Amino acid sequence: MPTQLQHARDGETTAAMRRVAERENVDPEFVREEVAAGHAVIPANREHPSLDPMVIGEAFSTKVNANIGNSEETSSREEELKKLHTAVHHGADTVMDLSTGSDLDGVREANVRYSPVPVGTVPIYEAVKRADSVGDITFEMLFEVIEKQAEQGVDYMTIHAGVLMEHLPLTDGRKTGIVSRGGSILAKWMEDNAAQNPLYARFEELCEVFAEYDVTFSLGDGLRPGCLADAGDDAQYAELETLGELVAVAREHGVQAMVEGPGHVPLDMVAEQVDREREVCDGAPFYLLGPLVTDVAPGYDHITSAIGATEAARAGAAMLCYVTPKEHLGLPDAEDVRDGLAAYRIAAHAGDVAAGLPGARDWDDALSEARYAFDWRRQFDLSLDPERAREFHDQTLPGDNYKEARFCSMCGAEFCSMRIDQDAREDGEMDRIADETDLEDSPAAEVNRPPVGTHDTSRVPELPAFLREIHEDDRSGAAADDWSRVRN
């Protein structure tokens, strides 16, 4: 059966392309053309029936990925499903299951089964769990893991095929060496076996499996910089050149491909890195982790990275991988997922506004109008995180009568600037402000209109009883049986 890329090249508009066009508020033919050119991807494994298709590409709204997953130290299948729920509810466009602990198959199968958004993985993690040591991993073992995960319905996989033996000496002068888990694993494998990266040497065999299930390559940046000092060095850019070659090979086999990027990058270098990837990889969608623009704020790296992510989105990054406050410190819990997603939805939206995407600013204008009108309930409803906005307001002014008040607790009635301005306009010669933004008529893509976390969940199975019980104390405010916010 043809892949989305092959259908697009043959001039066929698939059901997934039509759904994507609806969500992006564009013509389906435009989606087909971008996919055919390799400038956009629709991660949609044929074995993921609960999926609501989405698109990743520079010409479309900037997407946000949320990393979830267990570790040896903590987290269960139930906890991972709670993270998945929180991620979808708060606007994740995709999730990556980075589990390295126990019950890998069970966690992955549950995530795919109950996720309306694309699910990604890093197969080499499971291979490490199977082998006695990194050096004992074989290509056959890797191939078996990748094929199994494809059969389970994984929509895209990070494959660190660009880390080559000849690149390793280029990392010797770095401050933080190789910080990618996949990159470090493959570097050790090559050192132990004195052989080339098997994922590179036998990449075409992987393409055959990816084509069979229509899995999208997310070509991993195994040599990404782990600190500002290492950004833009010879190791990073040597790997990028190899990734450009692999993009071409994947496309030859009819397989969709996007490219992963750093990492830790000074603010003044972010746009340069996006431009370089676009040129080297022939416009393949760029998927960035952050980047963090300073290294000094552990505990606040959702902020340091969102600054870089905003600039990356403005410059043309197609998808941003969120960073939570726990980055560098520990495994995120559900509340960390919520905070990381809020930071990155802000970054993605701000980048789209700055880049001039059609209608992207309409959401801002509608909320500003509600704020000026002291329409508190509409202001909450239009907020990126309505539960949080309402909670903060009600901490000091909880009564229903304050939902009609022409002030908040910060300035009070006497010093509220907008109340003073309104009164002046009523009593003086200044014109009254009467702008009204109709979001229903906005040309904005779905992710640039409230509410976030809007997916078609009609194909998602009914949540099991144990999951409903878990969500009874969900601080996100989501209903126990509500997987996401579905726009009527």
Side-chain angles (χ1 to χ4, degrees), residues 114-180:
Y114 291 107
S115 178
V117 304
V119 175
T121 60
V122 187
I124 199 166
Y125 296 169
E126 183 176 350
V128 170
K129 296 282 290 184
R130 288 192 181 192
D132 293 330
S133 68
V134 168
D136 291 331
I137 296 172
T138 65
F139 176 79
E140 288 69 29
M141 183 188 299
L142 278 168
F143 190 90
E144 182 180 330
V145 168
I146 289 168
E147 188 168 37
K148 179 192 68 174
Q149 293 191 8
E151 290 173 351
Q152 289 176 314
V154 171
D155 301 288
Y156 66 100
M157 299 184 200
T158 295
I159 303 294
H160 296 91
V163 182
L164 306 185
M165 289 185 70
E166 53 267 37
H167 297 161
L168 301 186
L170 300 176
T171 67
D172 290 345
R174 285 182 157 188
K175 284 190 181 295
T176 53
I178 300 174
V179 300
S180 159

Side-chain angles (χ1 to χ4, degrees), residues 9 50 63 85 90 118 130 161 178 182 209 286 294 303 312 346 356 370 391 407 441:
R9 286 174 172 171
S50 60
K63 303 306 188 297
H85 173 278
H90 288 286
R130 288 192 181 192
I178 300 174
V209 175
F286 202 18
T294 180
I303 298 173
I346 294 166
E391 173 192 347
F407 62 90
D441 288 339

Side-chain angles (χ1 to χ4, degrees), residues 187-246:
K188 179 167 176 50
W189 188 94
M190 288 186 277
E191 290 286 322
D192 289 350
N193 291 278
Q196 186 59 278
N197 181 348
L199 295 174
Y200 174 81
R202 301 175 69 172
F203 186 74
E204 291 187 276
E205 293 176 55
L206 301 182
C207 289
E208 294 174 5
V209 175
F210 278 53
E212 181 179 354
Y213 294 92
D214 202 359
V215 177
T216 298
F217 275 112
S218 188
L219 295 171
D221 53 338
L223 301 181
R224 67 174 178 265
C227 63
L228 300 191
D230 296 340
D233 69 358
D234 290 343
Q236 179 194 348
Y237 285 152
E239 181 188 23
L240 182 61
E241 293 290 336
T242 304
L243 297 182
E245 297 171 11
L246 295 175

Side-chain angles (χ1 to χ4, degrees), residues 103-122:
D103 193 22
L104 294 181
D105 279 339
V107 169
R108 187 184 311 115
E109 288 172 354
N111 281 335
V112 171
R113 175 176 173 80
Y114 291 107
S115 178
V117 304
V119 175
T121 60
V122 187

Side-chain angles (χ1 to χ4, degrees), residues 4-5 8 20 30-43 54-60 216 251 255-258 282-286 318:
Q4 294 291 331
L5 177 56
V20 162
F30 177 68
V31 175
R32 187 199 66 77
E33 290 172 352
E34 289 295 297
V35 172
H39 298 163
V41 297
I42 301 176
M54 50 79 71
V55 66
I56 302 167
E58 181 182 350
F60 303 99
T216 298
R251 289 173 178 173
V255 179
Q256 302 180 98
M258 57 184 172
D282 190 29
F286 202 18

Side-chain angles (χ1 to χ4, degrees), residues 79 82 90-91 176 187 190 319 348 364 402-403 431 456 471:
E79 186 65 26
K82 183 174 183 180
H90 288 286
T176 53
M190 288 186 277
M319 185 161 74
D364 302 78
Y402 289 114
K403 302 300 189 297
D431 291 340
D456 178 358
H471 293 322

Side-chain angles (χ1 to χ4, degrees), residues 14 35 48 63 68 86 149 161 164 187 204 224 230 245 253 260 275 289 311-312 382 430 475 477 486 488:
T14 64
V35 172
H48 188 174
K63 303 306 188 297
I68 58 176
T86 303
Q149 293 191 8
L164 306 185
E204 291 187 276
R224 67 174 178 265
D230 296 340
E245 297 171 11
H253 286 77
E260 297 184 12
D275 290 342
L289 175 68
E311 174 66 358
L382 290 175
M430 290 190 296
R475 284 178 289 171
V486 181
N488 294 324

